């Protein structure tokens, strides 16, 4: 369903060219959990951003369901990101609470249910349907009894589950996770990984990590 062929990504920094990716090729299946493992600065997140359509490759090709993206326009990438991909970012410390690196992803002052609903606001889904799907997504990650809590009333693990629910609510084919357990304790990390394993039963999950044990 997803394939990258000889992907190259270069960045120009003044008079210097940084070669972030040097001809990466890999094919992914429809339902699997894949770990991209490597040290900080090796290009893991760059690769994830290219797969998610957040960044554009310099050369090579990203094949989606058999279709090349070489001729994709901005509107094509928007459709891909909004309907085919869900993003989970690294948990970190924000405003004194273990929470999301992506402050824009989790609005600290609004309810968990509303946070998840926000992901559907650009999809043309009715308010009632948004509410139903948000509840379903939160129940799937074990937060069915936390719908009316705000993220700043939750633990770091619970906040990351809200982020996972938000990534799932559009029912994407691909879930991209960038160091999803990076700032969580061991027990909570295991719980988050169990959720990702379950999600990978019916969709592709690609996770970036620098932790060999987590990848294993």
């Amino acid at each position: 369903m997803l394939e990258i062929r000889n992907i190259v990504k270069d960045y120009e920094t003044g008079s210097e060219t940084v070669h972030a990716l040097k001809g990466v090729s890999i094919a992914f299946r429809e339902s699997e959990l894949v770990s991209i493992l490597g040290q900080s600065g090796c290009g893991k997140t760059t690769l994830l951003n290219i797969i998610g359509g957040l960044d554009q490759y310099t050369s090579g090709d990203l094949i989606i369901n058999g279709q090349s993206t070489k001729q994709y326009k901005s509107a094509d990438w928007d459709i891909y990101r909004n309907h085919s991909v869900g993003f989970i970012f690294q948990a970190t410390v924000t405003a004194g609470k273990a929470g999301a690196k992506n402050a824009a992803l989790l609005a600290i002052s609004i309810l968990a249910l509303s946070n998840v609903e926000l992901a559907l606001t650009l999809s043309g889904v009715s308010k009632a349907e948004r509410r139903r799907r948000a509840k379903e997504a939160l129940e799937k990650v074990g937060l069915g009894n936390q719908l009316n809590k705000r993220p700043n009333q939750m633990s770091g693990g619970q906040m990351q589950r809200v982020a996972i629910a938000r990534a799932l609510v559009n029912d994407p084919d691909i879930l991209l996770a960038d160091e999803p357990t990076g700032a969580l304790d061991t027990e909570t990390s295991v719980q988050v990984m169990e959720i990702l394993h379950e999600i990978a039963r019916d969709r592709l999950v690609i996770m970036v990590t620098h932790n060999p044990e987590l990848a294993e």
Side-chain angles (χ1 to χ4, degrees):
M1 68 167 305
L2 183 71
E3 183 180 357
I4 53 177
R5 295 180 185 172
N6 199 32
I7 287 288
V8 171
K9 178 62 179 179
D10 296 333
Y11 292 101
E12 302 295 333
T13 58
S15 60
E16 184 180 356
T17 300
V18 176
H19 305 290
L21 298 173
K22 304 176 182 179
V24 179
S25 297
I26 187 171
F28 301 95
R29 293 173 292 188
E30 288 188 7
S31 301
E32 63 176 343
L33 175 56
V34 179
S35 294
I36 299 176
L37 179 66
Q39 298 176 345
S40 296
C42 73
K44 304 185 303 297
T45 296
T46 297
L47 180 60
L48 205 69
N49 288 343
I50 286 173
I51 291 172
L54 296 176
D55 199 357
Q56 301 305 306
Y57 47 86
T58 302
S59 64
D61 200 1
L62 172 64
I63 312 294
I64 302 169
N65 292 325
Q67 180 182 357
S68 169
T69 59
K70 286 184 177 180
Q71 304 303 318
Y72 263 30
K73 308 297 183 185
S74 294
D76 298 315
W77 287 115
D78 287 343
I79 292 170
Y80 172 63
R81 286 190 299 266
N82 289 336
H83 298 283
S84 298
V85 186
F87 298 92
I88 305 169
F89 299 98
Q90 179 179 347
T92 187
V93 176
T94 303
K97 262 287 188 178
K101 169 185 182 180
N102 39 349
L105 176 65
L106 290 186
I108 299 298
S109 61
I110 67 173
L111 304 180
L113 184 62
S114 300
N115 261 291
V116 177
E117 283 187 74
L118 281 174
L120 293 170
T121 54
L122 298 178
S123 301
V125 178
S126 69
K127 183 176 180 180
E129 179 64 8
R130 289 200 305 266
R131 182 61 51 95
R132 185 193 68 79
R133 287 167 61 173
K135 285 182 178 178
E136 186 177 279
L138 285 163
E139 288 168 357
K140 189 168 186 176
V141 299
L143 291 179
N145 61 345
Q146 305 288 324
L147 303 180
N148 294 316
K149 276 193 175 181
R150 291 176 172 80
N152 58 5
Q153 298 171 318
M154 294 179 165
S155 68
Q158 288 174 324
M159 290 180 75
Q160 195 66 331
R161 290 187 189 206
V162 175
I164 294 172
R166 182 162 173 169
L168 284 174
V169 74
N170 261 332
D171 194 25
D173 299 319
I174 305 163
L175 201 65
L176 304 178
D178 190 359
E179 299 279 7
T181 64
L184 302 177
D185 60 60
T186 301
E187 182 179 352
T188 306
S189 295
V190 170
Q191 294 170 358
V192 169
M193 286 305 303
E194 287 175 349
I195 293 172
L196 294 181
H197 270 289
E198 183 65 27
I199 292 168
R201 292 180 182 274
D202 60 4
R203 72 196 73 217
L204 172 63
V205 180
I206 304 174
M207 179 187 72
V208 156
T209 182
H210 64 274
N211 186 331
E213 293 182 4
L214 194 64
E216 181 63 27

